[in-house]
Amino acid sequence: MAEIEPGQAYGFFTDTSVCIGCKACEVACKQWNLLSGHEPSFLDGYDNTGQLDSQNWRYVKMIDNVPDETMGTGQGKAWLMMSDVCKHCQHASCMDVCPTGAIIRTEFDTVYIQPDVCNGCRNCISACPYSVIGMDEETHVARKCTLCYDRLQNGMEPACAKACPTQSIQFGPLDELQQRADKRLADLHSQGVAEANLYGRDEEVYGGLNAFFLLTDKPEAYRLPDAANAVLPGRNNVGGWLTGAVTAVLGVLGGLIALRRRQVSPEEPPPRETPPEAQAGEA
């Protein structure tokens, strides 16, 4: 592998068509990053991970895409498998909403959370459209895939890519990965896999993803937002800003009107005192 150089954009190209669901990437990620993981428990089918969070920075999705009824010749379908990870988005909403500047873009163009700057506010967790960030229960800081930032600084490829036995996870300079992905997509189309598509390869999804995927079905089948739904949180959109501004103005006007009405309304008369003789009569 060529030398890893700061100042160049790096990322992952994950080819789901050759993923075998072995979870070697999950194990390698946990071992290198000293992630304890959770108590093992089988969830849906063979899934014993469940989701990306503070202890799972890689998650092999196993999606049963095979109908229960018997299939005829030429109609067979296979399970969808995908090693999911932080996408290191170009338009990273987690970075936009971080109040302390804990989330930065590194010299390798990856998105990194600085644990010593994070104040545990959880804004990034709410803003992430892929639900990849989790709050560490012991340190109370947000955590996610770092794209093995410490390994990159020492000229080593990320642990998950190194451990993948089928080269489903490929690491390298982003421009080289994109060229490799384009060729792989063309090969699959020539083999009759018409459903194959690249997700996050271009700018349609959050400005482009440094960790992008080759899928063999629609993004929704992998529980990913498609290009039409890949919008940043409202507070980062023009419409969101306008809505917030209008709401604030209406709130101020409502307060002023209520204050004005209170000032011009006649004062209520003081309670009428009962005469002493009436009090005596009542007694």
Side-chain angles (χ1 to χ4, degrees):
M1 178 179 173
E3 183 179 353
I4 300 174
E5 300 178 356
Q8 188 169 8
Y10 289 87
F12 291 126
F13 163 45
T14 302
D15 183 352
T16 67
S17 69
V18 293
C19 177
I20 59 175
C22 68
K23 292 180 175 281
C25 55
E26 288 192 20
V27 174
C29 177
K30 284 184 172 62
Q31 286 182 334
W32 179 261
N33 294 292
L34 303 178
L35 302 174
S36 61
H38 305 299
E39 287 294 326
S41 62
F42 281 96
L43 305 170
D44 183 14
Y46 294 101
D47 183 2
N48 63 348
T49 302
Q51 63 182 7
L52 292 167
D53 56 29
S54 65
Q55 296 298 319
N56 296 298
W57 297 358
R58 270 281 179 186
Y59 166 36
V60 178
K61 294 181 178 179
M62 298 182 179
I63 302 170
D64 186 352
N65 198 36
V66 181
D68 294 333
E69 64 270 16
T70 303
M71 303 298 291
T73 303
Q75 297 177 325
K77 278 194 170 185
W79 277 34
L80 300 177
M81 296 186 183
M82 167 188 168
S83 181
D84 201 6
V85 72
C86 172
K87 314 306 182 291
H88 296 271
C89 312
Q90 286 298 314
H91 295 166
S93 55
C94 59
M95 188 186 306
D96 290 343
V97 301
C98 179
T100 65
I103 304 180
I104 62 171
R105 193 169 292 278
T106 72
E107 64 269 31
F108 305 106
D109 198 36
T110 60
V111 179
Y112 177 74
I113 301 177
Q114 303 174 94
D116 56 336
V117 186
C118 174
N119 68 354
C121 71
R122 299 174 181 263
N123 284 3
C124 57
I125 296 177
S126 300
C128 177
Y130 294 107
S131 300
V132 306
I133 307 175
M135 186 63 61
D136 188 274
E137 296 179 357
E138 294 184 359
T139 61
H140 304 290
V141 298
R143 303 183 75 188
K144 71 170 189 66
C145 163
T146 66
L147 219 147
C148 281
Y149 183 41
D150 53 347
R151 290 177 66 93
L152 299 186
Q153 290 175 311
N154 290 278
M156 298 185 293
E157 67 178 318
C160 58
K162 187 174 181 62
C164 181
T166 64
Q167 292 190 325
S168 173
I169 303 172
Q170 302 177 36
F171 166 80
L174 195 59
D175 53 353
E176 293 182 13
L177 293 178
Q178 291 171 343
Q179 294 176 13
R180 203 179 303 170
D182 292 340
K183 183 180 183 304
R184 175 61 177 162
L185 180 65
D187 290 343
L188 287 178
H189 284 172
S190 67
Q191 296 170 19
V193 187
E195 300 85 358
N197 64 94
L198 292 176
Y199 181 82
R201 156 69 175 85
D202 51 30
E203 298 180 359
E204 291 187 3
V205 178
Y206 302 112
L209 309 179
N210 279 34
F212 64 99
F213 302 80
L214 187 149
L215 308 177
T216 57
D217 206 331
K218 296 178 180 179
E220 307 91 277
Y222 297 85
R223 300 189 289 274
L224 296 170
D226 57 20
N229 297 316
V231 294
L232 293 172
R235 65 176 290 179
N236 297 309
N237 296 331
V238 174
W241 284 111
L242 290 176
T243 301
V246 171
T247 302
V249 170
L250 292 177
V252 171
L253 289 176
L256 291 174
I257 292 173
L259 180 62
R260 177 63 176 170
R261 287 178 176 175
R262 184 176 180 181
Q263 290 175 342
V264 300
S265 61
E267 296 184 359
E268 295 182 2
R272 187 175 179 182
E273 296 184 0
T274 304
E277 55 273 15
Q279 293 180 359
E282 290 177 1

